[in-house]
Every structure is written in structure tokens, then in C-alpha cells.
Amino acid sequence: MHIILGGTGRVGSAVARALLARDESVTIVTRNADHAADLKAAGAKVAVVDIREVDQLREVFRAGTRAFLLNPPADPSGDTDAEERANVAAIVAALEGSGLEKLVAASTYGARPGERCGDLTVLYEFEQKLRAQPIPVAINRGAYYMSNWAGMLEAVRESGSLPSFFPADLVLPMVAPDDLGKAAAERLLAPVSDVGLKFIEGPERYTPKDVADAVSDAFGMPVEVAVIPREAWAATFLQFGFSQEAAASYACMTAAVIDGETPGPDEPERGAITLREYIRALIK
């Protein structure tokens, strides 16, 4: 039995679907059973648990043999770093006495020590705490999610403008959630000896201009990149409903990407889904 945290999100559900396609037993951990209805229909079990409830989460882990660990993103209207660090502490505490034989954890390109830089620092702390406990752990650092562009598509359809915190010609490693899911499923099924760090990205690297061109082709209309200048980042995040703390963290992550502080390896593990394929599937 594979236990999947974040199983109703884009990546977690992709892990679950990849495992179910291979007739593996899967339990989805979620706070809302309704969100897992399609996966339940596909054969997954569903455990309704708040990951902060350590004893309950440990009981779910005890029903499995291996687990996919994903730290769910916190509501940006609050202090995302504090909330996500609390999630990390709870997940790691629940592993003690769980009896699991192997873990696969989702992390990110550019994970690094430090404070108040969003996923880069929170997920680095997650990696370190997982490595310090006794269950063998495989860590997949994923590139920039193609799905990060998804929430903008309807606004782009109306305006013909794609907002971007990144320069239009900045080359970025990107990856589709389904490719991350398949990569994680492969490591869940691999021997316990398959541990350590891997980097996962798509078949090639892309720029925000490439994203705009892909959306343009899918919508059949011109789309231009509207770059948000660095001095406007924090104010823009606040306009989106972010707290002051979350706006500062997300601005820190954005700067790290632009300033070249989140490089990937020359030879990552590459998925198959191109940016155009991903955008086209979203718009369908």
C-alpha cells in the first residue's frame, strides 16, 4: 500500500494515477473526501486526515509500506513559511513508529538553507529532517511547475496579456505535474536502495515568451508577456491577497530564480510532456 500526501493536488494526484495504472494499492490523504472522489472511483482508498494531527497521520502511515510526502502549500493570506514549517514538523513526527519501509519526497530546484524564502528554504529543511530520520528516503527536486501558469489563462484570454514576474526571455527549467507524478511513482516502486536526490524537469527549457506563444496558439489570438518589474513584486503579491510575510517570501523566491540561484543539473531526469502539450490540454 502506497500512502500519498497531497493526493488531491496536481502532483499528488498524478502520483496516485500513475500507481493505480499499474494496479498498485493507493491511499489518498486529504482533508476533504469530496476532492478525492475521482481517485476513489479509480480504485484508491481515501483517508480524511489533517496532516497536523500527528497521531492520526501516523495511523494512516502504519497501514502502508511506502509513502509519497508532499508539503501542501499554505494559504498565501497567512504566514506561509510558518504554516509550511509546521506541516514539515508534523509530517516528520508522524513517521516515527510508522513502520514504513521507504519514502519519496517532493522538493524543488534551488532548495537551500535559510529563512523566509518560501519553498526554497522550507523544502530544504524538509529534506534535511527526512534525511535525519531512519526510513530510507528518495528526494525528487522538481523544476518550475508548468501549472503555475494555469491560473492566469482566463485573464489572458480576456486581455491578450500574460503577466510574468520573470523577464520574457529568461530560460527556465519547467515540468508538467504528470511528469513529476510518474517520476515519483517510479521511485516508490523502485528498491529500497534507490535513495538520494534526483532532479526532474520537462523535455526542454522554456521562457515566459514560450508560454505566451503556447497560449497564443491554443487560443488562436495574439498574447504578449507583461513583465512585472522587481520594484512592483511585493505590491503585486499584496494585490493578489498575499500577506506581508507571504509576499516577502514569494518575492525572495522570484529573485532567486532570476538571479540564477536555482540552477538545475546539466543532465536531469526528463519528462515527456512539452509546454505546448500541457497548455493545450489545460485549455481543452
Side-chain angles (χ1 to χ4, degrees), residues 74-84 116 243 245-246 249:
D75 184 340
S77 65
D79 186 337
T80 51
D81 284 59
E83 289 296 312
E84 291 174 8
R116 295 284 171 188
S243 68
E245 295 88 351
S249 287

Side-chain angles (χ1 to χ4, degrees), residues 108-112 117-121 142-145 148-149 164-174 205-208 230 233 237 248-264:
T108 184
Y109 275 33
R112 67 187 193 190
C117 206
D119 281 352
L120 301 185
T121 48
Y144 189 80
Y145 289 9
N148 288 340
W149 304 99
S164 173
F165 290 94
F166 306 121
D169 60 353
L170 181 69
V171 178
L172 295 168
M174 297 187 198
R205 295 183 174 183
Y206 305 97
T207 66
R230 189 179 295 234
W233 290 349
F237 283 123
S249 287
Y250 277 69
C252 178
M253 285 193 287
T254 303
V257 173
I258 292 175
D259 296 342
E261 297 173 12
T262 61

Side-chain angles (χ1 to χ4, degrees), residues 115-135:
E115 296 288 334
R116 295 284 171 188
C117 206
D119 281 352
L120 301 185
T121 48
V122 171
L123 292 181
Y124 180 82
E125 180 178 309
F126 196 20
E127 292 181 3
Q128 296 303 110
K129 288 189 173 184
L130 290 174
R131 285 174 168 144
Q133 56 80 54
I135 304 169

Side-chain angles (χ1 to χ4, degrees), residues 76-100:
S77 65
D79 186 337
T80 51
D81 284 59
E83 289 296 312
E84 291 174 8
R85 280 192 156 88
N87 289 346
V88 165
I91 293 167
V92 174
L95 293 173
E96 185 176 353
S98 68
L100 289 166

Side-chain angles (χ1 to χ4, degrees), residues 184-195:
E186 288 297 330
R187 299 199 82 179
L188 283 167
L189 295 171
V192 171
S193 58
D194 168 46
V195 294

